[in-house]
Amino acid sequence: MNPSTVVIDRRCVGCGLCLITCPEHALVPARHHPEVVDRCTECLACIEVCPADAIHQQPPMRGREAT
Ligand code: SF4
Ligand code: SF4
């Protein structure tokens, strides 16, 4: 489950910049790319620093969860 609207896609090159940028430590290392956990406040700082344009904000799902 990912309650944040911030998502990371496969363009991630694993540089780790987002991990050290997030003020909430809401990005955690995972198998293929970092994952956003529910501490995310949607400040969007990570989107600004990602050199691969791999982080995006998607509209909140209404009535159902993203898969
Ligand atoms: S949007 Fe802000 S709080 Fe959320 S993961 Fe990115 S840097 Fe962290
Ligand atoms: S800043 Fe972008 S490319 Fe670097 S680890 Fe985070 S999502 Fe991946």
Side-chain angles (χ1 to χ4, degrees), residues 14-43:
C15 71
L17 262 179
C18 57
L19 299 176
I20 62 174
T21 297
C22 179
E24 307 298 332
H25 306 289
L27 288 152
V28 297
R31 187 177 176 91
H32 296 295
H33 54 64
E35 288 184 354
V36 183
V37 299
D38 59 8
R39 290 191 295 273
C40 173
T41 59
E42 301 178 348
C43 73

Side-chain angles (χ1 to χ4, degrees), residues 35-63:
E35 288 184 354
V36 183
V37 299
D38 59 8
R39 290 191 295 273
C40 173
T41 59
E42 301 178 348
C43 73
L44 309 186
C46 54
I47 293 176
E48 299 293 323
V49 300
C50 179
D53 196 26
I55 312 178
H56 304 277
Q57 188 175 35
Q58 63 184 9
M61 295 292 169
R62 299 185 194 281

